[in-house]
Amino acid sequence: MKLALVFIFSVIPLIASAEEVNKWVDDKGKVHYGNVPSDTEGMPASKVEIKDTFDQKEYEKAKKRHVETEQFGKELEKERKADEEKKAKEEAERKASIKQPPPSAGPRINLPAPYYEAPRVPGKPWVGIPVQPRPTPLPSAE
């Protein structure tokens, strides 16, 4: 089955390219091309010769450029992967260099600072205002 498909697809372009191409001009002066001669009488159709424009040298040059481009792409991909690995290694080293608290210290709780910075007034020293940790309870209504 595969052999038949290969044969069909390789022979069809040869048959299609073997057809004659005709050229003619209609009454309005428009040029037409087709594989069937003109239907209008008095309009002679001339055969157009199609030349094979395949150039083996240009094909080889293009093939060589393609191989070079593929190799260049592979080299760039290798460089990109090496850069990614280097960055990942540096990040792992950076994370490892950060000192962690010992596990016996218990959970770390971030508490708010007891003071906040007041706006600075030119000529006066900075003064921090203490923050009340909790509001005072209201007196009971007994």
Side-chain angles (χ1 to χ4, degrees):
M1 179 68 182
K2 290 182 182 178
L3 183 61
L5 288 174
V6 169
F7 178 74
I8 289 171
F9 286 118
S10 62
V11 171
I12 287 177
L14 296 174
I15 294 170
S17 66
E19 292 184 18
E20 294 179 356
V21 177
N22 297 307
K23 174 184 172 183
W24 69 93
V25 180
D26 65 5
D27 297 335
K28 298 177 184 175
K30 188 173 181 180
V31 179
H32 296 274
Y33 294 92
N35 58 348
V36 180
S38 70
D39 294 335
T40 57
E41 293 183 24
M43 300 292 161
S46 61
K47 292 182 182 178
V48 178
E49 186 178 330
I50 299 175
K51 297 178 183 177
D52 184 16
T53 59
F54 179 77
D55 185 7
Q56 186 67 32
K57 290 179 184 178
E58 289 299 320
Y59 173 76
E60 294 298 327
K61 286 180 186 177
K63 198 170 161 183
K64 183 179 176 183
R65 281 194 312 268
H66 175 71
V67 169
E68 290 171 355
T69 303
E70 289 291 320
Q71 289 174 349
F72 183 69
K74 288 177 184 177
E75 289 172 8
L76 285 177
E77 184 67 17
K78 285 180 186 178
E79 289 177 12
R80 185 188 63 80
K81 285 183 180 180
D83 287 345
E84 284 181 357
E85 290 174 1
K86 181 180 175 184
K87 287 180 183 177
K89 185 178 177 182
E90 289 173 354
E91 182 66 17
E93 290 174 358
R94 186 191 66 79
K95 286 183 178 180
S97 68
I98 297 174
K99 294 187 178 183
Q100 299 293 327
S104 62
R108 185 173 180 171
I109 301 172
N110 292 330
L111 298 174
Y115 295 100
Y116 73 93
E117 285 192 33
R120 295 186 185 242
V121 179
K124 293 190 176 182
W126 175 81
V127 178
I129 302 172
V131 176
Q132 295 291 330
R134 294 186 186 155
T136 56
L138 294 173
S140 61
E142 293 180 10

